[in-house]
Amino acid sequence: GAGVSQSPSNKVTEKGKDVELRCDPISGHTALYWYRQSLGQGLEFLIYFQGNSAPDKSGLPSDRFSAERTGGSVSTLTIQRTQQEDSAVYLCASSLGLAGETDTQYFGPGTRLTVL
Amino acid sequence: AQSVTQLGSHVSVSEGALVLLRCNYSSSVPPYLFWYVQYPNQGLQLLLKYTSAATLVKGINGFEAEFKKSETSFHLTKPSAHMSDAAEYFCAVLNSGYSTLTFGKGTMLLVSP
């Protein structure tokens, strides 16, 4: 597609359940990023992929969070045993993966996760 | 580590008035700076970016920002606000080493008729 797409757009789950969030980056973009946007914390970086590898996972808040990317394209963010504080909008972005300032990140519309 | 601070969580202007959204950065290396806009229930859209080529950067929708090293600032301006400019604006800095962004807390721009 023309832009970054994410699914689902909204997800309501019960505390303790696992959820999977999907991101389809722009075709040809080798870099992919996950961010979380919440009222109290603003926009936080979670994880960065270059190809299928994740050189920077420093933003993942706990070991309940994991992400993978296959085929250098689609990425899935998984949250296990969800907690209410996981409620947020999860944003995905992709970029060409060029070094330095020319590498602009393009964002998807996000997945709004609500944990009851 | 790089960081950005946005002054004012909310800014209100009248339609036709000057828009000024403030962003100050902290960086030990020359920073690469960005402004993004987020309309309700949408993702972030790039407005403009500073890449050291020119201190005055022009972006989309009539916005521009000026990089001032002496003031460590990268304020966003627009000469005349339009109702459609109402949105949340985020300043961000590119982290050295990798391509991840550190965002400010955001400023909600309210435009009244």
Side-chain angles (χ1 to χ4, degrees):
Chain A
V4 178
S5 61
Q6 294 184 246
S7 61
S9 55
N10 281 282
K11 177 71 176 179
V12 180
T13 190
E14 295 179 347
K15 178 180 173 181
K17 295 286 181 67
D18 297 352
V19 295
E20 286 189 351
L21 312 180
R22 176 188 169 104
C23 173
D24 280 274
I26 293 172
S27 177
H29 280 193
T30 62
L32 186 147
Y33 315 79
W34 284 98
Y35 294 87
R36 180 170 71 173
Q37 185 176 25
S38 55
L39 279 176
Q41 302 299 323
L43 269 159
E44 304 171 280
F45 163 75
L46 297 178
I47 187 170
Y48 156 62
F49 286 93
Q50 181 62 257
N52 291 335
S53 63
D56 191 350
K57 304 179 183 179
S58 62
L60 294 178
S62 76
D63 59 6
R64 296 186 295 104
F65 287 72
S66 63
E68 65 175 11
R69 189 178 185 196
T70 55
S73 180
V74 172
S75 176
T76 302
L77 177 68
T78 301
I79 309 173
Q80 295 179 310
R81 305 181 302 283
T82 52
Q83 303 295 312
Q84 288 183 332
E85 61 262 29
D86 299 335
S87 295
V89 176
Y90 290 82
L91 291 167
C92 176
S94 71
S95 70
L96 286 169
L98 304 174
E101 76 279 10
T102 56
D103 200 27
T104 298
Q105 295 182 29
Y106 297 89
F107 284 78
T111 293
R112 182 175 297 277
L113 175 65
T114 304
V115 182
L116 303 177
Chain B
Q2 287 89 344
S3 66
V4 290
T5 302
Q6 292 183 244
L7 297 176
S9 58
H10 290 79
V11 170
S12 295
V13 300
S14 299
E15 193 173 18
L18 171 71
V19 175
L20 171 61
L21 304 182
R22 299 177 187 275
C23 174
N24 288 88
Y25 69 89
S26 174
S27 177
S28 57
V29 298
Y32 298 124
L33 297 159
F34 302 77
W35 275 101
Y36 281 87
V37 60
Q38 186 177 34
Y39 297 101
N41 300 314
Q42 295 186 27
L44 278 72
Q45 180 181 5
L46 180 69
L47 273 178
L48 50 79
K49 62 181 180 181
Y50 169 70
T51 62
S52 75
T55 56
L56 183 62
V57 183
K58 294 188 182 299
I60 62 171
N61 302 338
F63 285 92
E64 63 182 34
E66 186 172 9
F67 175 75
K68 292 187 177 180
K69 184 178 179 180
S70 60
E71 299 178 7
T72 62
S73 69
F74 189 57
H75 301 331
L76 182 70
T77 60
K78 182 174 181 178
S80 177
H82 192 273
M83 296 294 290
S84 61
D85 294 327
E88 190 159 22
Y89 292 79
F90 293 91
C91 182
V93 63
L94 190 68
N95 294 313
S96 61
Y98 297 111
S99 298
T100 59
L101 294 169
T102 295
F103 287 88
K105 295 292 187 184
T107 297
M108 184 69 72
L109 176 65
L110 307 170
V111 183
S112 56

